[in-house]
């Protein structure tokens, strides 16, 4: 899992190296997403290839949208739902309804075809949809691994609290305040949902070899020794250091952010749409294998 030794931060706090503002675009059948990475000037936060915030959007009955059948190869897709629900079906025969607070960690590996659509009752009734999709790169040695699948309902996801009780962390990957995640990752990764109440602060150790970023999706939070403020819809990419220092922003209510940290792969990337490989030839093979049906199809009754 992780090689960091979490605990009270003592070393140099990482400064905010730069801030990117998520741009909005349409995905799948036309739903709006905020995407801080990849964006102009930020191709990835190695090993994180993409972060989409889907919604928040309130759908009228019958209007919810998703992404119909499409392939992936060479990386992992992580879905974390805050509100609404998503029906996942894939070419290995899995069907899963993912609800509020649930996490689905899908290893596409050598290739999978899946669909990500609103669940039938959500589609019928409509309602608030809000969540995230994160793409995590796989190292070259694992890009053609057998597709895998981890699903954790909200009640099984470990949660941590700061000693003063003012910070709550949903520990999807890695560890926080001594609480370890239940998900297994191919390389050392942290992926956590932080909620920080007014007046709170934390100083935690993070492996100095990791790349670290925070995407703020509620209120605002301040990072680094100089307390650089990061607003809702912005991602802060941290510079070098051995710890993360975060303070609640005054006057914005509770701050919410996704903390992304991981050991960089430092490998070449050749990406196109749903395929992320190391070389152009591997990318061509991925397209050919998909078109010839080698990634399978979703068998529906
Ligand atoms: Fe997908």
């Amino acid at each position: 899992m992780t090689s960091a030794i979490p605990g009270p931060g003592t070393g140099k706090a990482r400064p905010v190296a730069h801030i990117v503002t998520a741009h909005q675009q349409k995905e799948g059948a036309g739903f709006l997403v905020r995407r801080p990475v990849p964006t102009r000037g930020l191709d990835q936060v190695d090993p994180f290839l993409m972060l989409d915030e889907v919604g928040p959007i309130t759908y009228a009955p019958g209007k919810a949208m998703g992404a119909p059948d499409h392939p992936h190869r060479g990386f992992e897709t992580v879905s974390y739902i805050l509100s609404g629900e998503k029906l996942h079906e894939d070419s290995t025969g899995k069907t899963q309804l993912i609800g509020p607070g649930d996490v689905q960690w899908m290893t596409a590996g050598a290739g999978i075809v899946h669909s990500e659509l609103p669940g039938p009752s959500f589609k019928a009734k409509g309602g608030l949809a809000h969540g995230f999709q994160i793409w995590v790169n796989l190292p070259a040695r694992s890009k053609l691994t057998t597709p895998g699948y981890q699903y954790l309902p909200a009640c099984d996801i470990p949660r941590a609290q700061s000693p003063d009780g003012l910070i709550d962390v949903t520990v999807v990957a890695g560890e926080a305040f001594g609480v370890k995640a239940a998900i297994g990752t191919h390389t050392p990764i942290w992926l956590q949902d932080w909620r920080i109440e007014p007046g709170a602060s934390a100083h935690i150790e993070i492996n100095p070899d990791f790349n670290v970023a925070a995407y703020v999706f509620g209120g605002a939070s301040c990072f680094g020794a100089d307390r650089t403020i990061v607003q809702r819809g912005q991602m802060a990419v941290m510079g070098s250091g051995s710890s993360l220092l975060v303070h609640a922003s005054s006057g914005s209510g509770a701050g919410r952010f996704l903390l992304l940290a991981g050991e960089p792969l430092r490998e070449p990337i050749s990406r196109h749409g749903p395929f992320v490989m190391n070389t152009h030839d591997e990318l061509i093979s991925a397209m050919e294998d998909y078109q010839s049906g080698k990634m399978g199809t979703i068998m529906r009754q």
Side-chain angles (χ1 to χ4, degrees), residues 190-252:
W190 289 17
L191 176 58
Q192 303 171 354
D193 172 2
W194 281 56
R195 180 187 177 89
I196 175 164
E197 296 294 337
S201 66
H203 190 191
I204 59 163
E205 293 292 311
I206 296 187
N207 189 326
D209 295 334
F210 281 15
N211 284 334
V212 179
Y215 175 68
V216 176
F217 63 95
S221 290
C222 304
F223 297 92
D226 65 356
R227 303 192 186 192
T228 303
I229 188 164
V230 183
Q231 305 281 358
R232 197 250 179 280
Q234 293 184 323
M235 173 182 265
V237 180
M238 310 302 170
S240 63
S242 59
S243 62
L244 182 74
L245 183 57
V246 56
H247 286 85
S249 167
S250 60
S252 68

Side-chain angles (χ1 to χ4, degrees), residues 81-139:
I81 307 285
L82 297 176
S83 186
E85 64 181 25
K86 183 162 91 169
L87 178 65
H88 162 97
E89 295 178 286
D90 71 39
S91 51
T92 72
K94 286 224 165 44
T95 298
Q96 183 80 58
L97 194 61
I98 309 159
D102 298 354
V103 167
Q104 178 205 52
W105 195 295
M106 185 182 83
T107 304
I112 197 165
V113 175
H114 77 153
S115 65
E116 304 161 89
L117 297 169
S121 72
F122 183 78
K123 174 93 179 180
K125 291 180 196 160
L128 178 67
H130 191 199
F132 297 94
Q133 177 148 135
I134 299 109
W135 287 10
V136 180
N137 205 0
L138 285 168

Side-chain angles (χ1 to χ4, degrees), residues 263-286:
E263 187 178 278
L265 302 180
R266 298 191 181 92
E267 292 177 343
I269 287 180
S270 186
R271 67 193 282 176
H272 183 75
F275 307 121
V276 184
M277 306 304 293
N278 297 113
T279 69
H280 185 69
D281 285 351
E282 291 169 352
L283 203 53
I284 299 296
S285 295

Side-chain angles (χ1 to χ4, degrees), residues 14 38 52 56 59 70 85 93 100 109 115 170 193 205 221 224 239 290 301:
R14 290 171 182 258
D52 275 356
Y59 288 112
H70 61 279
E85 64 181 25
S115 65
T170 300
D193 172 2
E205 293 292 311
S221 290
Y290 169 57
Q301 299 297 320

